[in-house]
Structures are given as C-alpha cells and as structure tokens.
Amino acid sequence: EISARNRQILIRLTMENTVAKLKRLPIKAFTLLESLLVLFVVSFLLLGLSGSVRAGFNQVQEQLFFLEFERLYQETQRLSVAGHEKLSLKISGRQISNGYQELDFPQTLQEHEQQVIQFDRSGGNSSLSKITFQTEDRTVVYQLYMGNGKFKKTTSSG
C-alpha cells in the first residue's frame, strides 16, 4: 500500500511531468491560409442566407403593394361618390395616382404602360379593362367590372 504522503508525491510528479510535456509541444495556431478559408466559408454562408432573406422581403413588398393598390382603387371610388364628381385613377410608368394620393411601384415590378380608369359620380367605372402587373415570377391581373366598380384579381405564375 502506498502511504498518503507517497500518493501526494506521486500525483505532484505526474502533474509536473504532464506540464513539462505540454510546454515542449509546439504552439499551434491558425495560419493565414486557414484564416482566409474560414473567412471565405463564413462569407459564402452569409451571402447565401441574405439572398433568401431578400427574396422573402421582395415578396412581402409586392404583396403590400397589391393591397395598397386595391385600397387606393376603392378609396378613389369612395371619393368620387362622396364628392359627386368624376375621378380618374392614373397608372403611368412606376406610379399610380388619383390626384390626392400616390402609390409607387416596388423595384421588382416591371414598368406599366399608361392607363387611366375613370370613375363616374356614383363610383362606378365605364370600362371592362384589365390592369396587369408583371413581377419577376408571376403576373397579377385585375379584371374590372363595368358599373359597380368591383374587380376580380387573378394570379398566374410565369
């Protein structure tokens, strides 16, 4: 049996021996090449994630634009009824306007040809026209109904 004092001496010698071995090992660190490789991998991952985040952001921005367009269309109807006057909703280039409010196109929507929708004093329109918006991945069409000023929205891919 080893006495308690000998056990302590043995433990201390073992620890000193281990520390001495660790001191003799060469210090390992990242080289410049390894650091650049890690930086490249992290940058690649961040760029990959930012692309998917940007696509999601663009999709939300487009959806908000369509909701705002529908609101502006209905608001123009209400203004023509309330004021008992003819109003027009103008779509030109990258903007929609009714004379009181303006709505800008998001960057992902293609430029639109000039189009004017006339609302009579009762809020109805006298047109069966279609309003077509083209995004990067889909086409959104608003088919206007004559008289009551309502519309039907359809979305197709491509």
Side-chain angles (χ1 to χ4, degrees):
E1 287 234 4
I2 300 175
S3 67
R5 175 136 171 87
N6 288 341
R7 193 176 308 159
Q8 287 177 347
I9 293 171
L10 186 61
I11 291 173
R12 193 177 74 209
L13 288 174
T14 306
M15 287 180 65
E16 287 175 1
N17 197 11
T18 305
V19 169
K21 283 182 185 177
L22 287 176
K23 283 183 180 178
R24 282 185 271 147
L25 287 176
I27 297 173
K28 292 189 177 186
F30 281 116
T31 64
L32 179 62
L33 183 62
E34 290 168 330
S35 298
L36 289 176
L37 181 65
V38 168
L39 184 64
F40 174 74
V41 169
V42 169
S43 299
F44 182 74
L45 289 173
L46 285 176
L47 286 174
L49 291 175
S50 71
S52 63
V53 169
R54 181 170 295 146
F57 178 75
N58 288 341
Q59 195 172 26
V60 168
Q61 198 174 25
E62 289 170 4
Q63 194 65 27
L64 287 174
F65 168 78
F66 293 127
L67 291 172
E68 281 292 314
F69 168 71
E70 293 169 12
R71 185 202 55 78
L72 183 61
Y73 179 87
Q74 293 168 346
E75 188 67 27
T76 306
Q77 270 184 305
R78 286 187 205 108
L79 285 171
S80 69
V81 170
H84 296 291
E85 62 180 335
K86 292 182 179 181
L87 284 178
S88 58
L89 187 65
K90 295 180 182 109
I91 304 171
S92 60
R94 303 208 51 85
Q95 191 175 60
I96 302 171
S97 173
N98 65 1
Y100 299 104
Q101 301 171 26
E102 294 178 346
L103 176 62
D104 293 324
F105 280 40
Q107 293 297 323
T108 55
L109 247 61
Q110 292 180 3
E111 195 167 308
H112 199 280
E113 74 275 353
Q114 178 95 13
Q115 193 170 1
V116 178
I117 302 163
Q118 297 286 342
F119 291 96
D120 59 22
R121 296 169 201 243
S122 61
N125 66 31
S126 57
S127 168
L128 286 173
S129 65
K130 287 183 180 181
I131 303 170
T132 305
F133 296 107
Q134 183 66 46
T135 68
E136 293 174 350
D137 59 343
R138 65 182 184 195
T139 303
V140 178
V141 178
Y142 289 90
Q143 174 65 55
L144 305 181
Y145 294 131
M146 194 163 53
N148 61 8
K150 294 188 178 189
F151 57 84
K152 178 184 177 186
K153 178 182 174 184
T154 55
T155 304
S156 60
S157 320

